[in-house]
Amino acid sequence: MSLEWRARPLSLAWSNPVAWWWGFLTLVSAANIAIWVALYRQFGEQPAGALSTSSEIGLMLLLCAGYVFGCAFRSFLPRADVQRICLFDTWLSSVVVGRSVATIAELCFAAQWAVILNQLGAMTSADTTLNVALVIVPLLVIAECFSWYAVLTTNYLGNAIENSLWAVAFFLVGIGLCRLLPEFHGAVRIMLIAAIACTVLYLAFLVTVDVPMYLNRWRTGRARGKVHLRLFDGLRDVSTRWIVTHDLSEWKEEIAWMSLYFSGAVWASLALVVFCALGDQLPRYRNEEATSPHSQMLVVNHTQPTPRTN
């Protein structure tokens, strides 16, 4: 297997902006792997019973590994699925391999959010958050189906629907996080606010950049009379055809979302592991005065009239 840049029309030349972009992705991914290893040593090697949430932390580390290493693979061997373009001439750059890795990684990321929302929802008895935890993985499984449809048929409408479903999923995540705000104070409340802010930025990117980009490609294809592949023909195509290119014009629309996705989204995955590891300390930041049954009983008793005594 060769990872050399095919000389068409340029070789491994750092004067090419695409080479600098690939170097950035590689450097970030290597750092992300190093951070995951550090987290594993910190939390994954704890003796049994040392942490009450050890089973959850183990699951979160496993899910995070799926996402971190999956995104690192996609960073080392970038490809754009529908266009069938890649940077390196190797079968590992085939769309069927890359899309399979991406599917596993993205479902791991979705499952991480489900675990965290379930943990917080159960702690606070927040039904809204618990319901979001239940629906986010099934919703994103549907999104992955549309992604595969787009990849196999080369129909960008599938990508537009896929990313719209991601927007719906994280809109629900934002609602679930907002529901938790009154339940916590201090550092946990600050972390929730930061997560909500990042979710809003992600939604803004999807709605203003990502989904419109795919819709525009779909409309352009329709205007040109593009003929889409049938599913079985597409399956053969993604398994056997990849086009090596280092032309910036071919990659320019992919650079923004890939750079953000393989950096910021992976950092979010790593942060979820840290947050899960703080599970034993979360009760310290609960607003117990406003939520405990005992405090509510005191309020009720205080508002009832005092009976007369003779």
Side-chain angles (χ1 to χ4, degrees), residues 12-192:
L12 182 56
W14 291 105
S15 58
N16 182 3
V18 175
W20 283 97
W21 170 61
W22 176 75
F24 165 77
L25 293 182
T26 301
L27 181 63
V28 170
S29 295
N32 290 339
I33 291 173
I35 294 171
W36 183 88
V37 171
L39 292 178
Y40 177 78
R41 289 178 176 174
Q42 178 68 29
F43 304 122
E45 297 179 350
Q46 294 285 349
L51 293 169
S52 62
T53 57
S54 58
S55 61
E56 282 187 345
I57 293 173
L59 175 61
M60 287 292 282
L61 282 167
L62 179 62
L63 294 172
C64 184
Y67 195 62
V68 169
F69 286 92
C71 289
F73 175 86
R74 298 172 67 191
S75 295
F76 299 149
L77 297 172
R79 28 151 264 293
D81 293 338
V82 176
Q83 304 96 307
R84 311 291 196 257
I85 62 173
C86 60
L87 289 184
F88 299 108
D89 188 11
T90 165
W91 66 270
L92 289 174
S93 293
S94 68
V95 175
V96 70
V97 173
R99 189 66 243 163
S100 298
V101 171
T103 299
I104 295 170
E106 288 170 353
L107 292 180
C108 285
F109 187 50
Q112 278 190 277
W113 278 103
V115 170
I116 287 293
L117 292 173
N118 184 73
Q119 177 191 33
L120 295 174
M123 179 184 298
T124 59
S125 299
D127 290 339
T128 300
T129 305
L130 289 172
N131 290 334
V132 173
L134 287 175
V135 304
I136 183 172
V137 173
L139 189 59
L140 292 179
V141 167
I142 297 172
E144 293 298 328
C145 292
F146 277 103
S147 177
W148 273 100
Y149 170 79
V151 168
L152 295 177
T153 64
T154 67
N155 188 341
Y156 284 111
L157 183 60
N159 290 128
I161 297 173
E162 172 208 0
N163 284 277
S164 297
L165 289 173
W166 275 87
V168 171
F170 275 86
F171 177 75
L172 294 175
V173 168
I175 292 175
L177 294 174
C178 288
R179 167 62 183 84
L180 295 170
L181 280 178
E183 306 291 338
F184 294 96
H185 65 270
V188 174
R189 186 181 177 88
I190 293 173
M191 285 188 282
L192 288 172

